[in-house]
């Protein structure tokens, strides 16, 4: 028997879609719904006539309290710190692994003269380190994030015949949470991005995975976590 514990994300339309999709994919024979009032009503209502699934709604004991955000944050930090306590630095060649969850490495790097041209389009305090094109998209890695409506971005799009633009601030890539997957799609464990060198085409990952060379896919996440477990924030949607 398999027991799946879903998350506590239930309050928005996106949350309902996520839970309903999970239920559709899992096709459970039993569904245990724990709610204090009627916060799960919109999710349970379309499921009540399903003959293949029995819904159980036991009351939530009063002794079970709510964990404060500060408590959850502290516990999460402690677990991350313990997980990365024995991590080591591993380098992966971009020609040896696939990179998912990001536009970085998905296209063709701009030629040096085009990169210099693009770099000159932005404000003097913005340093452009890398840029690439794929399809009609232009992606730029710079010292800070550049938005598509910035004059320099609009000029770059027009000159390079691109239709969409995204950028990432290079400092925000450090300590980004990375998933390490093998060739079968199995998650081997987690890592933290420590270095990204497009000239050498190498990524440096801090990871406790015992067999890191079995990784064939590096899946970029959105969370920043320090090696000591500190929550360093997250990337904005579409930033990477």
């Amino acid at each position: 028997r398999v027991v799946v514990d879903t998350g506590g994300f239930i309050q928005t339309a996106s949350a309902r879609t996520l839970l309903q999709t999970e239920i559709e994919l899992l096709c459970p024979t039993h569904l245990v719904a724990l709610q204090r009032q009627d916060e799960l009503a919109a999710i349970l209502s379309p499921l009540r006539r399903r003959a293949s699934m029995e819904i159980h709604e036991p009351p939530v004991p009063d002794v079970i309290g709510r964990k404060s955000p500060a408590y959850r944050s502290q516990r999460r930090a402690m677990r991350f710190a313990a997980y990365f306590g024995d991590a080591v630095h591993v380098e992966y060649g971009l020609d040896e692994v696939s990179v998912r969850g990001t536009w970085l490495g998905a296209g063709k790097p701009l030629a040096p003269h085009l990169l210099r041209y693009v770099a000159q389009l932005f404000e003097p305090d913005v340093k452009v380190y890398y840029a690439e094109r794929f399809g009609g998209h232009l992606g730029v890695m710079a010292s800070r994030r550049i938005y598509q409506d910035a004059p320099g971005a609009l000029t770059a799009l027009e000159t390079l015949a691109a239709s969409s633009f995204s950028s990432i601030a290079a400092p925000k890539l450090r300590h980004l949470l990375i998933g390490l997957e093998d060739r079968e799609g199995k998650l081997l464990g987690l890592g933290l991005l420590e270095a990204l060198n497009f000239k050498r085409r190498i990524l440096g990952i801090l990871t406790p995975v015992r067999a890191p060379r079995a990784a064939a896919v590096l899946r970029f996440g959105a969370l920043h976590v320090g090696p000591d477990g500190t929550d360093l924030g997250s990337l904005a949607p579409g930033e990477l």
Side-chain angles (χ1 to χ4, degrees):
R1 285 173 172 78
V2 177
V3 177
V4 178
D5 181 15
T6 60
F9 180 47
I10 60 172
Q11 296 295 337
T12 65
S14 297
R16 292 193 294 273
T17 299
L18 174 63
L19 280 171
Q20 288 165 350
T21 302
E22 285 182 315
I23 293 168
E24 293 292 335
L25 291 173
L26 293 169
C27 298
T29 54
H30 294 269
L31 182 66
V32 180
L34 299 173
Q35 58 181 340
R36 286 184 167 83
Q37 296 179 359
D38 60 352
E39 57 265 31
L40 297 177
I43 297 169
L44 297 177
S45 179
L47 301 174
R48 294 193 183 279
R49 296 184 182 276
R50 184 171 295 186
S52 61
M53 181 175 64
E54 184 176 352
I55 297 177
H56 308 269
E57 299 178 77
V60 178
D62 293 336
V63 70
I64 298 178
R66 297 182 183 274
K67 299 179 179 65
S68 68
Y71 173 84
R72 290 177 181 272
S73 177
Q74 184 180 28
R75 183 177 63 174
R76 185 165 55 248
M78 290 175 62
R79 290 184 173 179
F80 271 129
Y83 182 80
F84 289 109
D86 297 324
V88 296
H89 183 86
V90 182
E91 290 190 343
Y92 295 93
L94 284 171
D95 299 321
E96 301 170 355
V97 296
S98 297
V99 179
R100 306 283 176 83
T102 174
W103 56 262
L104 287 167
K108 184 178 180 181
L110 288 190
H113 71 284
L114 289 177
L115 182 62
R116 288 193 295 270
Y117 167 75
V118 169
Q120 294 172 359
L121 296 175
F122 304 109
E123 298 175 12
D125 64 328
V126 177
K127 186 173 182 180
V128 176
Y129 303 110
Y130 173 78
E132 65 179 50
R133 267 190 305 189
F134 55 96
H137 186 80
L138 174 64
V140 173
M141 181 173 68
S143 55
R144 64 176 173 83
R145 189 179 183 187
I146 305 165
Y147 293 91
Q148 183 165 336
D149 58 356
L154 295 173
T155 303
L157 287 171
E158 182 178 357
T159 304
L160 299 176
S163 57
S164 60
F165 176 90
S166 61
S167 78
I168 178 68
K172 295 189 72 173
L173 290 170
R174 183 168 174 78
H175 294 154
L176 195 67
L177 201 62
I178 303 288
L180 281 65
E181 302 176 4
D182 66 12
R183 295 184 181 276
E184 304 300 323
K186 179 182 178 181
L187 181 65
L188 302 172
L190 301 176
L192 299 175
L193 182 62
E194 286 207 311
L196 180 59
N197 189 318
F198 282 99
K199 290 184 178 179
R200 296 176 56 207
R201 294 189 60 76
I202 285 178
L203 293 107
I205 305 290
L206 186 70
T207 180
V209 171
R210 293 185 179 181
R213 291 302 168 191
V217 175
L218 302 180
R219 188 176 297 275
F220 280 51
L223 299 178
H224 286 94
V225 179
D228 61 352
T230 304
D231 184 349
L232 302 176
S234 61
L235 296 179
E239 194 168 0
L240 189 60

